[in-house]
Amino acid sequence: MAPLRFSANVSWLFPELASLSARLRAAGSSGFQAAEIGWPYAEPPEALARAAREAGLQLVLINTPPGDREKGEMGLGAVPGRQAAFREGLEQAVLYAKALGCPRIHLMAGRVPQGADRAAVRGEMETVFLENLRHAAGVLAQWPRSGGPDRPCPLLSLCFWCCPWSHGPRPGLSPAAAILQKAGSPNLQLQMDMFHWQIMDGNLTGNIREFLPIVGHVQVAQVPGRGEPSSPGELNFPYLFQLLEEEGYKGFVGCEYQPQGDGGQRSRQVLGKGLFSLWVVA
């Protein structure tokens, strides 16, 4: 079994540092070899690429822009009437991904529009989401990453993890898998965010075994506090990490959690020699 590979989500880790570039350097100094950024758009891509290169980090994931957060938007992929803004954001995400050498973009589906009835907009949101997924998959398929003959690189690919209109009492993950099948693109995959998957559906063992073949990226945080995996909570991460290895997962595991503790120690995570010493605080 190949050991899991972890990436530091610098939108969450090292919050005592103001800039993403500084957080990338801190991630490299802490022993990470890969990183991901939720929204990199506040800093020039050239500066981020330089910081990652100097830190010895591979950038493995960024998100599409969230939209207008002051109006409560958190992604635009499935939001009716926002298709033009979604496509503009996708262009920006692709530019950043290319500059950063980042092979994956997390396409954020968004939320049910404020004041709308979830059941009433279900059909329209699914139609918009499929339209945007197919458009994005076509755009990204035109931009293969550069790589040498001894290191072939895949096309840029998209991940998403939910269908916002299906949220409710334990909706399960089947709607997202069904959307993936309907979209029918080889460079579309699911993102397994264990924090959200546990809250939405539980049954992580069964869901990992069922959906892992179509998963392109994993993110982790403890439930319910969204702390590091070693913090108190519902999830047994040594078991879950072992299960991912046993099931043959080859992608990255993103550390997308709120560091616990006080002061600068909150984020000084170090990579130990063993899988489960990853979360030791320096």
Side-chain angles (χ1 to χ4, degrees), residues 42-80:
E43 299 182 30
E46 297 80 10
L48 295 174
R50 181 170 58 253
R53 185 169 58 251
E54 292 172 352
L57 293 172
Q58 176 186 358
L59 269 297
V60 299
L61 183 79
I62 62 173
N63 293 349
T64 52
D68 190 340
R69 297 189 69 181
E70 292 186 359
K71 295 182 178 179
E73 291 182 331
M74 190 62 70
L76 301 173
V79 181

PDB file of all heavy atoms in Angstrom, residues 42-80:
ATOM      1  N   ALA A  42      -6.633  37.029  -3.920  1.00  0.00           N
ATOM      2  CA  ALA A  42      -6.230  38.305  -3.334  1.00  0.00           C
ATOM      3  C   ALA A  42      -4.752  38.608  -3.547  1.00  0.00           C
ATOM      4  O   ALA A  42      -4.313  39.731  -3.305  1.00  0.00           O
ATOM      5  CB  ALA A  42      -6.549  38.329  -1.842  1.00  0.00           C
ATOM      6  N   GLU A  43      -3.986  37.607  -3.992  1.00  0.00           N
ATOM      7  CA  GLU A  43      -2.556  37.791  -4.205  1.00  0.00           C
ATOM      8  C   GLU A  43      -2.199  37.391  -5.634  1.00  0.00           C
ATOM      9  O   GLU A  43      -2.819  36.481  -6.201  1.00  0.00           O
ATOM     10  CB  GLU A  43      -1.751  36.980  -3.193  1.00  0.00           C
ATOM     11  CG  GLU A  43      -2.026  37.405  -1.752  1.00  0.00           C
ATOM     12  CD  GLU A  43      -1.204  36.641  -0.734  1.00  0.00           C
ATOM     13  OE1 GLU A  43      -0.067  36.219  -1.071  1.00  0.00           O
ATOM     14  OE2 GLU A  43      -1.684  36.463   0.409  1.00  0.00           O
ATOM     15  N   PRO A  44      -1.210  38.047  -6.240  1.00  0.00           N
ATOM     16  CA  PRO A  44      -0.853  37.721  -7.623  1.00  0.00           C
ATOM     17  C   PRO A  44      -0.389  36.266  -7.757  1.00  0.00           C
ATOM     18  O   PRO A  44       0.325  35.762  -6.885  1.00  0.00           O
ATOM     19  CB  PRO A  44       0.306  38.688  -7.924  1.00  0.00           C
ATOM     20  CG  PRO A  44       0.176  39.780  -6.922  1.00  0.00           C
ATOM     21  CD  PRO A  44      -0.399  39.149  -5.694  1.00  0.00           C
ATOM     22  N   PRO A  45      -0.788  35.600  -8.826  1.00  0.00           N
ATOM     23  CA  PRO A  45      -0.394  34.194  -8.967  1.00  0.00           C
ATOM     24  C   PRO A  45       1.117  34.018  -9.046  1.00  0.00           C
ATOM     25  O   PRO A  45       1.645  33.005  -8.584  1.00  0.00           O
ATOM     26  CB  PRO A  45      -1.085  33.763 -10.264  1.00  0.00           C
ATOM     27  CG  PRO A  45      -1.371  35.033 -11.002  1.00  0.00           C
ATOM     28  CD  PRO A  45      -1.619  36.062  -9.949  1.00  0.00           C
ATOM     29  N   GLU A  46       1.813  35.001  -9.619  1.00  0.00           N
ATOM     30  CA  GLU A  46       3.268  34.884  -9.726  1.00  0.00           C
ATOM     31  C   GLU A  46       3.917  34.865  -8.349  1.00  0.00           C
ATOM     32  O   GLU A  46       4.873  34.109  -8.100  1.00  0.00           O
ATOM     33  CB  GLU A  46       3.833  36.039 -10.551  1.00  0.00           C
ATOM     34  CG  GLU A  46       3.352  36.087 -11.994  1.00  0.00           C
ATOM     35  CD  GLU A  46       1.966  36.701 -12.134  1.00  0.00           C
ATOM     36  OE1 GLU A  46       1.453  37.263 -11.137  1.00  0.00           O
ATOM     37  OE2 GLU A  46       1.392  36.612 -13.245  1.00  0.00           O
ATOM     38  N   ALA A  47       3.397  35.684  -7.418  1.00  0.00           N
ATOM     39  CA  ALA A  47       3.950  35.708  -6.068  1.00  0.00           C
ATOM     40  C   ALA A  47       3.682  34.395  -5.342  1.00  0.00           C
ATOM     41  O   ALA A  47       4.554  33.872  -4.629  1.00  0.00           O
ATOM     42  CB  ALA A  47       3.354  36.883  -5.281  1.00  0.00           C
ATOM     43  N   LEU A  48       2.485  33.854  -5.520  1.00  0.00           N
ATOM     44  CA  LEU A  48       2.162  32.570  -4.893  1.00  0.00           C
ATOM     45  C   LEU A  48       3.002  31.451  -5.475  1.00  0.00           C
ATOM     46  O   LEU A  48       3.494  30.577  -4.736  1.00  0.00           O
ATOM     47  CB  LEU A  48       0.673  32.271  -5.070  1.00  0.00           C
ATOM     48  CG  LEU A  48      -0.300  33.214  -4.363  1.00  0.00           C
ATOM     49  CD1 LEU A  48      -1.734  32.880  -4.750  1.00  0.00           C
ATOM     50  CD2 LEU A  48      -0.125  33.137  -2.852  1.00  0.00           C
ATOM     51  N   ALA A  49       3.174  31.449  -6.785  1.00  0.00           N
ATOM     52  CA  ALA A  49       3.993  30.416  -7.426  1.00  0.00           C
ATOM     53  C   ALA A  49       5.431  30.486  -6.930  1.00  0.00           C
ATOM     54  O   ALA A  49       6.065  29.457  -6.673  1.00  0.00           O
ATOM     55  CB  ALA A  49       3.936  30.570  -8.943  1.00  0.00           C
ATOM     56  N   ARG A  50       5.949  31.698  -6.781  1.00  0.00           N
ATOM     57  CA  ARG A  50       7.322  31.863  -6.295  1.00  0.00           C
ATOM     58  C   ARG A  50       7.459  31.363  -4.851  1.00  0.00           C
ATOM     59  O   ARG A  50       8.421  30.665  -4.508  1.00  0.00           O
ATOM     60  CB  ARG A  50       7.740  33.321  -6.396  1.00  0.00           C
ATOM     61  CG  ARG A  50       9.177  33.585  -5.938  1.00  0.00           C
ATOM     62  CD  ARG A  50       9.630  34.993  -6.277  1.00  0.00           C
ATOM     63  NE  ARG A  50       8.763  36.010  -5.678  1.00  0.00           N
ATOM     64  CZ  ARG A  50       7.893  36.752  -6.367  1.00  0.00           C
ATOM     65  NH1 ARG A  50       7.755  36.597  -7.684  1.00  0.00           N
ATOM     66  NH2 ARG A  50       7.152  37.658  -5.742  1.00  0.00           N
ATOM     67  N   ALA A  51       6.481  31.701  -4.007  1.00  0.00           N
ATOM     68  CA  ALA A  51       6.527  31.262  -2.611  1.00  0.00           C
ATOM     69  C   ALA A  51       6.455  29.742  -2.519  1.00  0.00           C
ATOM     70  O   ALA A  51       7.176  29.120  -1.719  1.00  0.00           O
ATOM     71  CB  ALA A  51       5.387  31.896  -1.828  1.00  0.00           C
ATOM     72  N   ALA A  52       5.587  29.137  -3.311  1.00  0.00           N
ATOM     73  CA  ALA A  52       5.476  27.677  -3.300  1.00  0.00           C
ATOM     74  C   ALA A  52       6.767  27.033  -3.778  1.00  0.00           C
ATOM     75  O   ALA A  52       7.235  26.034  -3.206  1.00  0.00           O
ATOM     76  CB  ALA A  52       4.305  27.235  -4.168  1.00  0.00           C
ATOM     77  N   ARG A  53       7.344  27.585  -4.823  1.00  0.00           N
ATOM     78  CA  ARG A  53       8.604  27.043  -5.354  1.00  0.00           C
ATOM     79  C   ARG A  53       9.721  27.149  -4.316  1.00  0.00           C
ATOM     80  O   ARG A  53      10.466  26.190  -4.097  1.00  0.00           O
ATOM     81  CB  ARG A  53       8.968  27.781  -6.631  1.00  0.00           C
ATOM     82  CG  ARG A  53      10.187  27.241  -7.350  1.00  0.00           C
ATOM     83  CD  ARG A  53      10.303  27.863  -8.734  1.00  0.00           C
ATOM     84  NE  ARG A  53      10.382  29.321  -8.702  1.00  0.00           N
ATOM     85  CZ  ARG A  53       9.418  30.144  -9.097  1.00  0.00           C
ATOM     86  NH1 ARG A  53       8.277  29.664  -9.551  1.00  0.00           N
ATOM     87  NH2 ARG A  53       9.565  31.461  -9.028  1.00  0.00           N
ATOM     88  N   GLU A  54       9.821  28.302  -3.669  1.00  0.00           N
ATOM     89  CA  GLU A  54      10.864  28.482  -2.656  1.00  0.00           C
ATOM     90  C   GLU A  54      10.654  27.561  -1.459  1.00  0.00           C
ATOM     91  O   GLU A  54      11.629  27.160  -0.806  1.00  0.00           O
ATOM     92  CB  GLU A  54      10.878  29.942  -2.197  1.00  0.00           C
ATOM     93  CG  GLU A  54      11.343  30.917  -3.274  1.00  0.00           C
ATOM     94  CD  GLU A  54      11.164  32.372  -2.867  1.00  0.00           C
ATOM     95  OE1 GLU A  54      10.537  32.618  -1.810  1.00  0.00           O
ATOM     96  OE2 GLU A  54      11.644  33.261  -3.604  1.00  0.00           O
ATOM     97  N   ALA A  55       9.404  27.230  -1.160  1.00  0.00           N
ATOM     98  CA  ALA A  55       9.094  26.352  -0.037  1.00  0.00           C
ATOM     99  C   ALA A  55       9.162  24.879  -0.400  1.00  0.00           C
ATOM    100  O   ALA A  55       8.986  24.020   0.472  1.00  0.00           O
ATOM    101  CB  ALA A  55       7.711  26.683   0.512  1.00  0.00           C
ATOM    102  N   GLY A  56       9.377  24.579  -1.682  1.00  0.00           N
ATOM    103  CA  GLY A  56       9.419  23.184  -2.115  1.00  0.00           C
ATOM    104  C   GLY A  56       8.066  22.517  -2.120  1.00  0.00           C
ATOM    105  O   GLY A  56       7.964  21.303  -1.902  1.00  0.00           O
ATOM    106  N   LEU A  57       7.017  23.306  -2.408  1.00  0.00           N
ATOM    107  CA  LEU A  57       5.653  22.793  -2.356  1.00  0.00           C
ATOM    108  C   LEU A  57       5.064  22.613  -3.743  1.00  0.00           C
ATOM    109  O   LEU A  57       5.270  23.433  -4.638  1.00  0.00           O
ATOM    110  CB  LEU A  57       4.754  23.764  -1.581  1.00  0.00           C
ATOM    111  CG  LEU A  57       5.004  23.928  -0.093  1.00  0.00           C
ATOM    112  CD1 LEU A  57       4.149  25.076   0.440  1.00  0.00           C
ATOM    113  CD2 LEU A  57       4.685  22.650   0.658  1.00  0.00           C
ATOM    114  N   GLN A  58       4.271  21.569  -3.887  1.00  0.00           N
ATOM    115  CA  GLN A  58       3.432  21.383  -5.062  1.00  0.00           C
ATOM    116  C   GLN A  58       2.036  21.899  -4.723  1.00  0.00           C
ATOM    117  O   GLN A  58       1.455  21.532  -3.696  1.00  0.00           O
ATOM    118  CB  GLN A  58       3.352  19.899  -5.436  1.00  0.00           C
ATOM    119  CG  GLN A  58       2.411  19.592  -6.591  1.00  0.00           C
ATOM    120  CD  GLN A  58       2.254  18.094  -6.838  1.00  0.00           C
ATOM    121  OE1 GLN A  58       2.874  17.277  -6.160  1.00  0.00           O
ATOM    122  NE2 GLN A  58       1.412  17.753  -7.791  1.00  0.00           N
ATOM    123  N   LEU A  59       1.484  22.790  -5.543  1.00  0.00           N
ATOM    124  CA  LEU A  59       0.102  23.240  -5.360  1.00  0.00           C
ATOM    125  C   LEU A  59      -0.827  22.225  -5.995  1.00  0.00           C
ATOM    126  O   LEU A  59      -0.691  21.910  -7.183  1.00  0.00           O
ATOM    127  CB  LEU A  59      -0.101  24.619  -5.983  1.00  0.00           C
ATOM    128  CG  LEU A  59       0.132  25.847  -5.100  1.00  0.00           C
ATOM    129  CD1 LEU A  59      -0.842  25.883  -3.941  1.00  0.00           C
ATOM    130  CD2 LEU A  59       1.561  25.895  -4.588  1.00  0.00           C
ATOM    131  N   VAL A  60      -1.790  21.701  -5.226  1.00  0.00           N
ATOM    132  CA  VAL A  60      -2.601  20.590  -5.718  1.00  0.00           C
ATOM    133  C   VAL A  60      -4.083  20.911  -5.873  1.00  0.00           C
ATOM    134  O   VAL A  60      -4.812  20.140  -6.491  1.00  0.00           O
ATOM    135  CB  VAL A  60      -2.436  19.349  -4.812  1.00  0.00           C
ATOM    136  CG1 VAL A  60      -0.988  18.892  -4.807  1.00  0.00           C
ATOM    137  CG2 VAL A  60      -2.913  19.615  -3.394  1.00  0.00           C
ATOM    138  N   LEU A  61      -4.560  22.056  -5.327  1.00  0.00           N
ATOM    139  CA  LEU A  61      -5.991  22.365  -5.429  1.00  0.00           C
ATOM    140  C   LEU A  61      -6.234  23.841  -5.146  1.00  0.00           C
ATOM    141  O   LEU A  61      -5.629  24.411  -4.233  1.00  0.00           O
ATOM    142  CB  LEU A  61      -6.798  21.538  -4.415  1.00  0.00           C
ATOM    143  CG  LEU A  61      -8.327  21.709  -4.459  1.00  0.00           C
ATOM    144  CD1 LEU A  61      -8.934  20.896  -5.596  1.00  0.00           C
ATOM    145  CD2 LEU A  61      -8.972  21.306  -3.135  1.00  0.00           C
ATOM    146  N   ILE A  62      -7.102  24.465  -5.952  1.00  0.00           N
ATOM    147  CA  ILE A  62      -7.676  25.766  -5.632  1.00  0.00           C
ATOM    148  C   ILE A  62      -9.179  25.684  -5.868  1.00  0.00           C
ATOM    149  O   ILE A  62      -9.667  24.777  -6.549  1.00  0.00           O
ATOM    150  CB  ILE A  62      -7.064  26.917  -6.469  1.00  0.00           C
ATOM    151  CG1 ILE A  62      -7.345  26.701  -7.963  1.00  0.00           C
ATOM    152  CG2 ILE A  62      -5.576  27.060  -6.192  1.00  0.00           C
ATOM    153  CD1 ILE A  62      -6.920  27.900  -8.832  1.00  0.00           C
ATOM    154  N   ASN A  63      -9.926  26.636  -5.310  1.00  0.00           N
ATOM    155  CA  ASN A  63     -11.374  26.721  -5.522  1.00  0.00           C
ATOM    156  C   ASN A  63     -11.690  27.728  -6.613  1.00  0.00           C
ATOM    157  O   ASN A  63     -10.932  28.679  -6.843  1.00  0.00           O
ATOM    158  CB  ASN A  63     -12.090  27.180  -4.250  1.00  0.00           C
ATOM    159  CG  ASN A  63     -12.021  26.169  -3.128  1.00  0.00           C
ATOM    160  OD1 ASN A  63     -11.619  25.028  -3.308  1.00  0.00           O
ATOM    161  ND2 ASN A  63     -12.411  26.607  -1.947  1.00  0.00           N
ATOM    162  N   THR A  64     -12.846  27.563  -7.243  1.00  0.00           N
ATOM    163  CA  THR A  64     -13.380  28.649  -8.054  1.00  0.00           C
ATOM    164  C   THR A  64     -13.797  29.796  -7.131  1.00  0.00           C
ATOM    165  O   THR A  64     -14.076  29.585  -5.945  1.00  0.00           O
ATOM    166  CB  THR A  64     -14.598  28.185  -8.869  1.00  0.00           C
ATOM    167  OG1 THR A  64     -15.542  27.554  -7.991  1.00  0.00           O
ATOM    168  CG2 THR A  64     -14.191  27.219  -9.972  1.00  0.00           C
ATOM    169  N   PRO A  65     -13.855  31.033  -7.633  1.00  0.00           N
ATOM    170  CA  PRO A  65     -14.262  32.160  -6.785  1.00  0.00           C
ATOM    171  C   PRO A  65     -15.654  31.940  -6.193  1.00  0.00           C
ATOM    172  O   PRO A  65     -16.521  31.324  -6.812  1.00  0.00           O
ATOM    173  CB  PRO A  65     -14.250  33.349  -7.752  1.00  0.00           C
ATOM    174  CG  PRO A  65     -13.270  32.964  -8.812  1.00  0.00           C
ATOM    175  CD  PRO A  65     -13.453  31.484  -8.989  1.00  0.00           C
ATOM    176  N   PRO A  66     -15.882  32.485  -4.986  1.00  0.00           N
ATOM    177  CA  PRO A  66     -17.150  32.225  -4.291  1.00  0.00           C
ATOM    178  C   PRO A  66     -18.322  33.050  -4.780  1.00  0.00           C
ATOM    179  O   PRO A  66     -19.469  32.717  -4.476  1.00  0.00           O
ATOM    180  CB  PRO A  66     -16.818  32.590  -2.836  1.00  0.00           C
ATOM    181  CG  PRO A  66     -15.768  33.637  -2.955  1.00  0.00           C
ATOM    182  CD  PRO A  66     -14.942  33.251  -4.163  1.00  0.00           C
ATOM    183  N   GLY A  67     -18.068  34.128  -5.513  1.00  0.00           N
ATOM    184  CA  GLY A  67     -19.141  35.048  -5.854  1.00  0.00           C
ATOM    185  C   GLY A  67     -19.176  36.199  -4.862  1.00  0.00           C
ATOM    186  O   GLY A  67     -18.144  36.588  -4.306  1.00  0.00           O
ATOM    187  N   ASP A  68     -20.356  36.735  -4.610  1.00  0.00           N
ATOM    188  CA  ASP A  68     -20.526  37.884  -3.715  1.00  0.00           C
ATOM    189  C   ASP A  68     -20.794  37.372  -2.298  1.00  0.00           C
ATOM    190  O   ASP A  68     -21.933  37.076  -1.925  1.00  0.00           O
ATOM    191  CB  ASP A  68     -21.690  38.760  -4.193  1.00  0.00           C
ATOM    192  CG  ASP A  68     -21.760  40.088  -3.465  1.00  0.00           C
ATOM    193  OD1 ASP A  68     -21.191  40.190  -2.360  1.00  0.00           O
ATOM    194  OD2 ASP A  68     -22.382  41.027  -4.000  1.00  0.00           O
ATOM    195  N   ARG A  69     -19.747  37.310  -1.496  1.00  0.00           N
ATOM    196  CA  ARG A  69     -19.904  36.756  -0.149  1.00  0.00           C
ATOM    197  C   ARG A  69     -20.726  37.665   0.747  1.00  0.00           C
ATOM    198  O   ARG A  69     -21.372  37.201   1.697  1.00  0.00           O
ATOM    199  CB  ARG A  69     -18.529  36.493   0.471  1.00  0.00           C
ATOM    200  CG  ARG A  69     -17.719  35.454  -0.311  1.00  0.00           C
ATOM    201  CD  ARG A  69     -16.464  35.052   0.423  1.00  0.00           C
ATOM    202  NE  ARG A  69     -16.769  34.287   1.622  1.00  0.00           N
ATOM    203  CZ  ARG A  69     -15.840  33.833   2.457  1.00  0.00           C
ATOM    204  NH1 ARG A  69     -14.560  34.085   2.214  1.00  0.00           N
ATOM    205  NH2 ARG A  69     -16.174  33.146   3.533  1.00  0.00           N
ATOM    206  N   GLU A  70     -20.739  38.973   0.470  1.00  0.00           N
ATOM    207  CA  GLU A  70     -21.559  39.884   1.267  1.00  0.00           C
ATOM    208  C   GLU A  70     -23.045  39.590   1.097  1.00  0.00           C
ATOM    209  O   GLU A  70     -23.852  39.924   1.971  1.00  0.00           O
ATOM    210  CB  GLU A  70     -21.262  41.335   0.888  1.00  0.00           C
ATOM    211  CG  GLU A  70     -19.854  41.800   1.292  1.00  0.00           C
ATOM    212  CD  GLU A  70     -19.641  43.273   1.031  1.00  0.00           C
ATOM    213  OE1 GLU A  70     -20.580  43.933   0.507  1.00  0.00           O
ATOM    214  OE2 GLU A  70     -18.544  43.768   1.330  1.00  0.00           O
ATOM    215  N   LYS A  71     -23.404  38.973  -0.017  1.00  0.00           N
ATOM    216  CA  LYS A  71     -24.793  38.589  -0.258  1.00  0.00           C
ATOM    217  C   LYS A  71     -25.045  37.130   0.086  1.00  0.00           C
ATOM    218  O   LYS A  71     -26.099  36.586  -0.249  1.00  0.00           O
ATOM    219  CB  LYS A  71     -25.164  38.858  -1.718  1.00  0.00           C
ATOM    220  CG  LYS A  71     -25.149  40.335  -2.087  1.00  0.00           C
ATOM    221  CD  LYS A  71     -25.568  40.544  -3.535  1.00  0.00           C
ATOM    222  CE  LYS A  71     -25.598  42.026  -3.895  1.00  0.00           C
ATOM    223  NZ  LYS A  71     -25.990  42.258  -5.310  1.00  0.00           N
ATOM    224  N   GLY A  72     -24.057  36.481   0.719  1.00  0.00           N
ATOM    225  CA  GLY A  72     -24.232  35.114   1.165  1.00  0.00           C
ATOM    226  C   GLY A  72     -23.847  34.053   0.159  1.00  0.00           C
ATOM    227  O   GLY A  72     -24.089  32.865   0.398  1.00  0.00           O
ATOM    228  N   GLU A  73     -23.260  34.456  -0.970  1.00  0.00           N
ATOM    229  CA  GLU A  73     -22.884  33.450  -1.973  1.00  0.00           C
ATOM    230  C   GLU A  73     -21.640  32.694  -1.523  1.00  0.00           C
ATOM    231  O   GLU A  73     -20.727  33.261  -0.928  1.00  0.00           O
ATOM    232  CB  GLU A  73     -22.645  34.122  -3.328  1.00  0.00           C
ATOM    233  CG  GLU A  73     -23.918  34.669  -3.949  1.00  0.00           C
ATOM    234  CD  GLU A  73     -23.693  35.287  -5.323  1.00  0.00           C
ATOM    235  OE1 GLU A  73     -22.575  35.785  -5.576  1.00  0.00           O
ATOM    236  OE2 GLU A  73     -24.641  35.286  -6.121  1.00  0.00           O
ATOM    237  N   MET A  74     -21.629  31.412  -1.840  1.00  0.00           N
ATOM    238  CA  MET A  74     -20.493  30.556  -1.526  1.00  0.00           C
ATOM    239  C   MET A  74     -20.288  29.581  -2.687  1.00  0.00           C
ATOM    240  O   MET A  74     -20.390  28.384  -2.570  1.00  0.00           O
ATOM    241  CB  MET A  74     -20.739  29.803  -0.222  1.00  0.00           C
ATOM    242  CG  MET A  74     -19.509  29.063   0.309  1.00  0.00           C
ATOM    243  SD  MET A  74     -18.134  30.152   0.700  1.00  0.00           S
ATOM    244  CE  MET A  74     -18.772  31.003   2.143  1.00  0.00           C
ATOM    245  N   GLY A  75     -19.995  30.168  -3.844  1.00  0.00           N
ATOM    246  CA  GLY A  75     -19.898  29.397  -5.069  1.00  0.00           C
ATOM    247  C   GLY A  75     -21.064  29.704  -5.980  1.00  0.00           C
ATOM    248  O   GLY A  75     -22.149  30.108  -5.528  1.00  0.00           O
ATOM    249  N   LEU A  76     -20.848  29.501  -7.292  1.00  0.00           N
ATOM    250  CA  LEU A  76     -21.857  29.892  -8.280  1.00  0.00           C
ATOM    251  C   LEU A  76     -22.233  28.768  -9.243  1.00  0.00           C
ATOM    252  O   LEU A  76     -23.045  28.970 -10.132  1.00  0.00           O
ATOM    253  CB  LEU A  76     -21.332  31.082  -9.099  1.00  0.00           C
ATOM    254  CG  LEU A  76     -20.979  32.340  -8.305  1.00  0.00           C
ATOM    255  CD1 LEU A  76     -20.318  33.373  -9.234  1.00  0.00           C
ATOM    256  CD2 LEU A  76     -22.214  32.932  -7.651  1.00  0.00           C
ATOM    257  N   GLY A  77     -21.665  27.594  -9.077  1.00  0.00           N
ATOM    258  CA  GLY A  77     -21.813  26.539 -10.069  1.00  0.00           C
ATOM    259  C   GLY A  77     -23.243  26.125 -10.355  1.00  0.00           C
ATOM    260  O   GLY A  77     -23.567  25.748 -11.484  1.00  0.00           O
ATOM    261  N   ALA A  78     -24.111  26.179  -9.346  1.00  0.00           N
ATOM    262  CA  ALA A  78     -25.490  25.723  -9.528  1.00  0.00           C
ATOM    263  C   ALA A  78     -26.505  26.833  -9.297  1.00  0.00           C
ATOM    264  O   ALA A  78     -27.694  26.550  -9.140  1.00  0.00           O
ATOM    265  CB  ALA A  78     -25.778  24.557  -8.571  1.00  0.00           C
ATOM    266  N   VAL A  79     -26.065  28.078  -9.302  1.00  0.00           N
ATOM    267  CA  VAL A  79     -26.951  29.189  -8.943  1.00  0.00           C
ATOM    268  C   VAL A  79     -27.606  29.767 -10.200  1.00  0.00           C
ATOM    269  O   VAL A  79     -26.913  30.308 -11.077  1.00  0.00           O
ATOM    270  CB  VAL A  79     -26.177  30.296  -8.202  1.00  0.00           C
ATOM    271  CG1 VAL A  79     -27.122  31.432  -7.808  1.00  0.00           C
ATOM    272  CG2 VAL A  79     -25.490  29.717  -6.961  1.00  0.00           C
ATOM    273  N   PRO A  80     -28.925  29.678 -10.327  1.00  0.00           N
ATOM    274  CA  PRO A  80     -29.607  30.223 -11.503  1.00  0.00           C
ATOM    275  C   PRO A  80     -29.371  31.724 -11.652  1.00  0.00           C
ATOM    276  O   PRO A  80     -29.345  32.468 -10.671  1.00  0.00           O
ATOM    277  CB  PRO A  80     -31.091  29.925 -11.211  1.00  0.00           C
ATOM    278  CG  PRO A  80     -31.070  28.763 -10.270  1.00  0.00           C
ATOM    279  CD  PRO A  80     -29.855  28.987  -9.419  1.00  0.00           C
TER     280      PRO A  80
END
